[in-house]
Amino acid sequence: MRTLGDTGSVRSKLILMAVSTTFVALLAASIAMLLYDLRTFQRYWVDDLMTQADIIASVTAPALAFNDAKTAQQSLAVLRVRPHILAGAIYTTGNVRFASYIERHAGQAAFPAAPGQPGYSIERGELVVYHRIVDNGEVLGTVYLRARYGLIERLVNYATILGAVLLASLAIAALVASRLQQSITRPLLAVTNVAREVMQRRDFTLRVPGNNSGEIGVLVEAFNDMLAEIGRRSHALQEANLTLEHEMRVRQRAEQALLLADRRKDEFLATLAHELRNPLAPIRTGLDILRIRSGDAQATQRATDIMERQLRQMVRLVDDLLDVSRINTGKFAIKMGRVELKAVVNDALEVVRSYIELHGHELVIELPDRPVFLHGDATRLAQILSNLLNNAAKYTNRGGRVSLAAEVADKDLLIHIADNGIGIAPEMLGQVFEMFVQVDSTLERSNAGLGVGLSLARRLVELHGGSIEARSAGVNRGSEFVVRLPIVVEPELPAKTMPASFISAETFRILLADDNVDFVNSIGALLSAMGHSVVITHNGPDALTAAARFCPDYAFLDIGLPHMSGYDLARGIRRLACGARTVLIAVTGWGQEKDRQLALEAGFDHHMVKPVRFEQIEEILGNRSLVQKVRT
């Protein structure tokens, strides 16, 4: 394995990079300085020689003017003090050489036959200057000077100096780079060593030491974080192996729970069928009584009472199931208001009293003397108590005792519903409020119930901000359910109540569409008796034709109509010229929230779930503001 000290290592590359960078920078600077020096050198020599020519021109001007060649020759002899000047001459205006000078080491010099134009030129490595001799504006002649131009020597000398400086600078740069690179290579070497140890020992707790800054610090920190992450994942993988065994045990328990749930589902479906069939037998018997003894008023009344009671029982069972479904899906809403305890208890007893009396139970009620006000939904609070009382009566042997006692504790109301029935085993106390859970008993299976009443009661109590608790001393030792609800501490005078529904004094055109002939004819008869104009149809196309001709104010439409669904019928009515004025009411056995949404999307104004009470129809007809809104 190659290390940082090998050829091609990071250390060598860093030093090479520093030296190379320094070399390129110094070379560029040296070339620039050399060019600048050569230019300065040339300017210096040109200026110097031109100055010398100007001085000679000034000195020899009188000699030319008086044709004194000896004086001019003496003036040129002064050039001996400037050994770099090889030759000099003075020419007259007629281009005749008047005087001349040759440096003693220059040998035989050749002078130009005639002077050139004023200025300078470089010829064969020598600098030549021509300068006019002027006196009082008159040109008397020309000065000629030729001097050595040591450019090559200057270049060699300067390049030698720069080369020495460059080599020294590179040596210093290499030394400094070798020292500075340690701050980079030392952490990298540490990372390499730790990585090698991790690979050999599989120990992810190792870390790179040091507190570096900059990018190297980020690299070291990232490497340490990576080791930590790998260590966590390795540990997680080991734990996952242990978790697999645990999950296998959980799966086995889940399978057992699924088998139990499946068994409870089968028991629930069987019980549901049984519970729904029970009321059908008395209803069928009541119909037989009405058919056979139609002239006997007392028998007719008794049969009607039986049928109504059993119908209420069936409706209660179905409503409980629907309520539980709505609560589970979060689509259940309660109407909170100020209610009085005694009114809630009376509503609950009205529902369950006949069932308790049917089983021959003794019913004991104990309520506070002063009025107690609750903040809640009166109907749902009564449903809580009726479910608990019904449960107590159901699981108590005939001739037992059922009691309801209420007391105020601080700001809470405690309602105790107790019985001396079959009781609850200790291990079942925490499960009785679960869906479809039924306590085994010695009672007949017909009294087992659906297993939803207590679950619904608990959820309704929780929606009111309260709690419910089950108590029992054991099997065959009775049971008690304690409901805790918040109360309104300072009661206010109840607001003036308005009737729940009323019959409008107005008369309307009403369209009824339902394939249940008995239901629609009976509702039509009642509406006609109230003075309304009623048209009855039994399928979708007939209803649409009647609506186009009749222009109803209200249309009660079944969803499951033959030949055309109620949704399509509603859309067809809305497309009629008078369809916008019609209040559409869906009458169906489907009561889920999605069914209500489908009805609204189809154009219905209301959604009613069968069986429909006539009071519900009266309430819709009595809503005058809605009628006026629709008609406008």
PDB file of all heavy atoms in Angstrom, residues 186-188 190-192 194-195 206-212 220 223-224 227:
ATOM      1  N   ARG A 186      -0.224  15.948   7.184  1.00  0.00           N
ATOM      2  CA  ARG A 186      -0.306  15.271   8.473  1.00  0.00           C
ATOM      3  C   ARG A 186      -1.732  14.814   8.788  1.00  0.00           C
ATOM      4  O   ARG A 186      -1.944  13.654   9.158  1.00  0.00           O
ATOM      5  CB  ARG A 186       0.224  16.178   9.583  1.00  0.00           C
ATOM      6  CG  ARG A 186       0.309  15.458  10.931  1.00  0.00           C
ATOM      7  CD  ARG A 186       0.778  16.374  12.043  1.00  0.00           C
ATOM      8  NE  ARG A 186       2.146  16.830  11.806  1.00  0.00           N
ATOM      9  CZ  ARG A 186       2.486  18.085  11.524  1.00  0.00           C
ATOM     10  NH1 ARG A 186       1.534  19.005  11.393  1.00  0.00           N
ATOM     11  NH2 ARG A 186       3.731  18.430  11.337  1.00  0.00           N
ATOM     12  N   PRO A 187      -2.785  15.680   8.622  1.00  0.00           N
ATOM     13  CA  PRO A 187      -4.161  15.186   8.843  1.00  0.00           C
ATOM     14  C   PRO A 187      -4.555  14.099   7.840  1.00  0.00           C
ATOM     15  O   PRO A 187      -5.252  13.144   8.199  1.00  0.00           O
ATOM     16  CB  PRO A 187      -5.030  16.446   8.675  1.00  0.00           C
ATOM     17  CG  PRO A 187      -4.100  17.585   8.918  1.00  0.00           C
ATOM     18  CD  PRO A 187      -2.778  17.144   8.413  1.00  0.00           C
ATOM     19  N   LEU A 188      -4.085  14.236   6.579  1.00  0.00           N
ATOM     20  CA  LEU A 188      -4.430  13.208   5.594  1.00  0.00           C
ATOM     21  C   LEU A 188      -3.774  11.876   5.946  1.00  0.00           C
ATOM     22  O   LEU A 188      -4.376  10.808   5.777  1.00  0.00           O
ATOM     23  CB  LEU A 188      -3.988  13.659   4.203  1.00  0.00           C
ATOM     24  CG  LEU A 188      -4.695  14.898   3.635  1.00  0.00           C
ATOM     25  CD1 LEU A 188      -4.144  15.217   2.256  1.00  0.00           C
ATOM     26  CD2 LEU A 188      -6.203  14.676   3.571  1.00  0.00           C
ATOM     27  N   ALA A 190      -3.061  10.946   8.941  1.00  0.00           N
ATOM     28  CA  ALA A 190      -3.828  10.430  10.081  1.00  0.00           C
ATOM     29  C   ALA A 190      -5.112   9.766   9.615  1.00  0.00           C
ATOM     30  O   ALA A 190      -5.506   8.699  10.121  1.00  0.00           O
ATOM     31  CB  ALA A 190      -4.123  11.562  11.061  1.00  0.00           C
ATOM     32  N   VAL A 191      -5.805  10.377   8.633  1.00  0.00           N
ATOM     33  CA  VAL A 191      -7.028   9.777   8.085  1.00  0.00           C
ATOM     34  C   VAL A 191      -6.721   8.427   7.458  1.00  0.00           C
ATOM     35  O   VAL A 191      -7.453   7.437   7.637  1.00  0.00           O
ATOM     36  CB  VAL A 191      -7.676  10.733   7.053  1.00  0.00           C
ATOM     37  CG1 VAL A 191      -8.807  10.027   6.312  1.00  0.00           C
ATOM     38  CG2 VAL A 191      -8.216  11.980   7.750  1.00  0.00           C
ATOM     39  N   THR A 192      -5.585   8.349   6.726  1.00  0.00           N
ATOM     40  CA  THR A 192      -5.206   7.092   6.069  1.00  0.00           C
ATOM     41  C   THR A 192      -4.928   6.006   7.096  1.00  0.00           C
ATOM     42  O   THR A 192      -5.372   4.852   6.960  1.00  0.00           O
ATOM     43  CB  THR A 192      -3.969   7.321   5.182  1.00  0.00           C
ATOM     44  OG1 THR A 192      -4.262   8.342   4.234  1.00  0.00           O
ATOM     45  CG2 THR A 192      -3.597   6.044   4.445  1.00  0.00           C
ATOM     46  N   VAL A 194      -6.027   5.798  10.237  1.00  0.00           N
ATOM     47  CA  VAL A 194      -7.260   5.381  10.915  1.00  0.00           C
ATOM     48  C   VAL A 194      -8.113   4.502   9.997  1.00  0.00           C
ATOM     49  O   VAL A 194      -8.684   3.503  10.418  1.00  0.00           O
ATOM     50  CB  VAL A 194      -8.056   6.620  11.383  1.00  0.00           C
ATOM     51  CG1 VAL A 194      -9.440   6.212  11.884  1.00  0.00           C
ATOM     52  CG2 VAL A 194      -7.300   7.355  12.482  1.00  0.00           C
ATOM     53  N   ALA A 195      -8.182   4.878   8.703  1.00  0.00           N
ATOM     54  CA  ALA A 195      -8.960   4.070   7.759  1.00  0.00           C
ATOM     55  C   ALA A 195      -8.395   2.655   7.664  1.00  0.00           C
ATOM     56  O   ALA A 195      -9.140   1.664   7.611  1.00  0.00           O
ATOM     57  CB  ALA A 195      -8.971   4.747   6.383  1.00  0.00           C
ATOM     58  N   LEU A 206     -12.971   4.217  16.332  1.00  0.00           N
ATOM     59  CA  LEU A 206     -11.749   4.993  16.119  1.00  0.00           C
ATOM     60  C   LEU A 206     -12.075   6.339  15.491  1.00  0.00           C
ATOM     61  O   LEU A 206     -13.008   6.447  14.695  1.00  0.00           O
ATOM     62  CB  LEU A 206     -10.773   4.211  15.230  1.00  0.00           C
ATOM     63  CG  LEU A 206     -10.260   2.873  15.797  1.00  0.00           C
ATOM     64  CD1 LEU A 206      -9.404   2.176  14.773  1.00  0.00           C
ATOM     65  CD2 LEU A 206      -9.489   3.115  17.088  1.00  0.00           C
ATOM     66  N   ARG A 207     -11.259   7.363  15.840  1.00  0.00           N
ATOM     67  CA  ARG A 207     -11.468   8.692  15.286  1.00  0.00           C
ATOM     68  C   ARG A 207     -10.103   9.314  14.952  1.00  0.00           C
ATOM     69  O   ARG A 207      -9.079   8.987  15.555  1.00  0.00           O
ATOM     70  CB  ARG A 207     -12.202   9.609  16.285  1.00  0.00           C
ATOM     71  CG  ARG A 207     -13.608   9.165  16.622  1.00  0.00           C
ATOM     72  CD  ARG A 207     -14.527   9.284  15.426  1.00  0.00           C
ATOM     73  NE  ARG A 207     -15.896   8.913  15.783  1.00  0.00           N
ATOM     74  CZ  ARG A 207     -16.376   7.678  15.700  1.00  0.00           C
ATOM     75  NH1 ARG A 207     -15.593   6.695  15.261  1.00  0.00           N
ATOM     76  NH2 ARG A 207     -17.611   7.423  16.037  1.00  0.00           N
ATOM     77  N   VAL A 208     -10.108  10.214  13.990  1.00  0.00           N
ATOM     78  CA  VAL A 208      -8.903  10.966  13.631  1.00  0.00           C
ATOM     79  C   VAL A 208      -8.709  12.079  14.649  1.00  0.00           C
ATOM     80  O   VAL A 208      -9.602  12.917  14.836  1.00  0.00           O
ATOM     81  CB  VAL A 208      -9.021  11.548  12.202  1.00  0.00           C
ATOM     82  CG1 VAL A 208      -7.775  12.355  11.863  1.00  0.00           C
ATOM     83  CG2 VAL A 208      -9.240  10.440  11.192  1.00  0.00           C
ATOM     84  N   PRO A 209      -7.544  12.124  15.350  1.00  0.00           N
ATOM     85  CA  PRO A 209      -7.344  13.174  16.360  1.00  0.00           C
ATOM     86  C   PRO A 209      -7.027  14.505  15.714  1.00  0.00           C
ATOM     87  O   PRO A 209      -6.753  14.609  14.524  1.00  0.00           O
ATOM     88  CB  PRO A 209      -6.149  12.638  17.168  1.00  0.00           C
ATOM     89  CG  PRO A 209      -5.367  11.836  16.165  1.00  0.00           C
ATOM     90  CD  PRO A 209      -6.393  11.219  15.246  1.00  0.00           C
ATOM     91  N   GLY A 210      -7.006  15.535  16.536  1.00  0.00           N
ATOM     92  CA  GLY A 210      -6.609  16.857  16.048  1.00  0.00           C
ATOM     93  C   GLY A 210      -7.799  17.787  15.930  1.00  0.00           C
ATOM     94  O   GLY A 210      -8.961  17.362  15.879  1.00  0.00           O
ATOM     95  N   ASN A 211      -7.452  19.068  15.898  1.00  0.00           N
ATOM     96  CA  ASN A 211      -8.479  20.109  15.772  1.00  0.00           C
ATOM     97  C   ASN A 211      -8.075  21.014  14.618  1.00  0.00           C
ATOM     98  O   ASN A 211      -7.503  22.084  14.801  1.00  0.00           O
ATOM     99  CB  ASN A 211      -8.606  20.886  17.074  1.00  0.00           C
ATOM    100  CG  ASN A 211      -9.745  21.892  17.021  1.00  0.00           C
ATOM    101  OD1 ASN A 211     -10.609  21.812  16.154  1.00  0.00           O
ATOM    102  ND2 ASN A 211      -9.730  22.843  17.940  1.00  0.00           N
ATOM    103  N   ASN A 212      -8.330  20.559  13.413  1.00  0.00           N
ATOM    104  CA  ASN A 212      -7.923  21.298  12.218  1.00  0.00           C
ATOM    105  C   ASN A 212      -9.016  22.267  11.786  1.00  0.00           C
ATOM    106  O   ASN A 212     -10.198  22.098  12.108  1.00  0.00           O
ATOM    107  CB  ASN A 212      -7.643  20.304  11.083  1.00  0.00           C
ATOM    108  CG  ASN A 212      -6.529  19.328  11.448  1.00  0.00           C
ATOM    109  OD1 ASN A 212      -5.366  19.647  11.385  1.00  0.00           O
ATOM    110  ND2 ASN A 212      -6.924  18.118  11.859  1.00  0.00           N
ATOM    111  N   VAL A 220     -11.660  16.083   7.855  1.00  0.00           N
ATOM    112  CA  VAL A 220     -11.469  15.219   9.029  1.00  0.00           C
ATOM    113  C   VAL A 220     -12.784  15.033   9.778  1.00  0.00           C
ATOM    114  O   VAL A 220     -13.150  13.915  10.195  1.00  0.00           O
ATOM    115  CB  VAL A 220     -10.389  15.824   9.949  1.00  0.00           C
ATOM    116  CG1 VAL A 220     -10.307  15.039  11.264  1.00  0.00           C
ATOM    117  CG2 VAL A 220      -9.040  15.823   9.253  1.00  0.00           C
ATOM    118  N   PHE A 223     -14.963  12.737   7.838  1.00  0.00           N
ATOM    119  CA  PHE A 223     -14.503  11.353   7.955  1.00  0.00           C
ATOM    120  C   PHE A 223     -14.910  10.758   9.297  1.00  0.00           C
ATOM    121  O   PHE A 223     -15.381   9.608   9.375  1.00  0.00           O
ATOM    122  CB  PHE A 223     -12.985  11.309   7.786  1.00  0.00           C
ATOM    123  CG  PHE A 223     -12.404   9.924   7.834  1.00  0.00           C
ATOM    124  CD1 PHE A 223     -12.519   9.068   6.746  1.00  0.00           C
ATOM    125  CD2 PHE A 223     -11.759   9.468   8.970  1.00  0.00           C
ATOM    126  CE1 PHE A 223     -11.995   7.785   6.792  1.00  0.00           C
ATOM    127  CE2 PHE A 223     -11.239   8.191   9.027  1.00  0.00           C
ATOM    128  CZ  PHE A 223     -11.356   7.342   7.936  1.00  0.00           C
ATOM    129  N   ASN A 224     -14.761  11.537  10.374  1.00  0.00           N
ATOM    130  CA  ASN A 224     -15.184  11.060  11.692  1.00  0.00           C
ATOM    131  C   ASN A 224     -16.690  10.834  11.743  1.00  0.00           C
ATOM    132  O   ASN A 224     -17.163   9.856  12.330  1.00  0.00           O
ATOM    133  CB  ASN A 224     -14.754  12.053  12.769  1.00  0.00           C
ATOM    134  CG  ASN A 224     -13.254  12.037  13.009  1.00  0.00           C
ATOM    135  OD1 ASN A 224     -12.589  11.036  12.736  1.00  0.00           O
ATOM    136  ND2 ASN A 224     -12.699  13.141  13.498  1.00  0.00           N
ATOM    137  N   LEU A 227     -17.461   7.619   9.993  1.00  0.00           N
ATOM    138  CA  LEU A 227     -17.192   6.468  10.855  1.00  0.00           C
ATOM    139  C   LEU A 227     -18.307   6.294  11.889  1.00  0.00           C
ATOM    140  O   LEU A 227     -18.734   5.167  12.170  1.00  0.00           O
ATOM    141  CB  LEU A 227     -15.848   6.659  11.557  1.00  0.00           C
ATOM    142  CG  LEU A 227     -14.590   6.545  10.687  1.00  0.00           C
ATOM    143  CD1 LEU A 227     -13.349   6.771  11.534  1.00  0.00           C
ATOM    144  CD2 LEU A 227     -14.524   5.184  10.008  1.00  0.00           C
TER     145      LEU A 227
END
